[in-house]
Amino acid sequence: MRRRRWSLYTVLAFGYAFLYLPVLLLVVYSFNASRLVTVWSGFSVKWYGELLHNRQLLDAAWLSIRIAATNATFAVVLGTLAANALVRHGRFRGRTGFELLLTAPLVMPDVIIGLSLLLLFVALQQLVGWPAGRGFTTITIAHITFSLAYVAVVVRARLAQMDRSLEEAAMDLGARPLTVYQRITLPLIAPALLSGWLLAFTLSLDDLVIASFVSGPGATTLPMVVYASVRMGVSPQINALATLIVVFVAVAVTIATLTSRGLGSARTNCRRTRD
């Protein structure tokens, strides 16, 4: 029994090392004074200073953040509406097709999504003159197209598990359906909405393939710039940028976890008070 447990811990240790050791090395070498990313020549933060003066990387990062935030917001709204339709309205005409269209981006290759959206934008431009070019708008629409499917799955699972008696009690006391949804339903599914927003934000920030199809010369996202830079050799500035992203993600995940726990505790207290 003890030997089996030791083997399990060994496998887990190797697994976590395989996943996180490269990230740790990337963070360490972001403070390397040498221009060669694999040769340590002393501690330095000069690459962070040069990163702050690299307009190409900063502009691409700002564009990616704006696209990701806009995409996540719209994906949460549309995904929540889709989840409500599937959970709360039972069977309706076209439900099977609606579910198929909603879940298709989850299994469809990114190349197919990107190519199909590119053809759609080109056809729309020829027919109605919109979009005039490919950039922020086209990338955001493309990201919303596949992100809302992930949000709908998360919110749908939470709605299906939610206790409907709380809503029924509020309506029995005279609350209107919209008031019930705002004051009862939304707080109860808030952790799912937050998780869906973060998931959509991450998917958008990480996307390379779809953005490559629907972007134009004046709109280059951060993954596109990083990919082009890596093809010509890894720059220490990329390590510094990646370290900042890791820190940002770690802080965001920590805040999301604490917020979810706080909402869960509040929900538990409400149930105890009701009981």
Side-chain angles (χ1 to χ4, degrees), residues 90-101:
R91 300 198 59 84
F92 53 87
R93 180 176 297 180
R95 178 187 174 96
T96 303
F98 180 70
E99 286 191 86
L100 179 62
L101 292 175

Side-chain angles (χ1 to χ4, degrees), residues 109-126:
D110 290 345
V111 174
I112 304 300
I113 297 176
L115 180 59
S116 61
L117 289 172
L118 173 61
L119 296 176
L120 173 64
F121 292 141
V122 171
L124 286 175
Q125 185 177 4
Q126 294 176 351

Side-chain angles (χ1 to χ4, degrees), residues 194-195 198 202 245-263:
L194 179 60
S195 300
L198 291 174
T202 304
I245 293 176
V246 169
V247 173
F248 172 77
V249 171
V251 172
V253 170
T254 303
I255 294 175
T257 302
L258 295 177
T259 303
S260 299
R261 289 180 179 177
L263 292 174

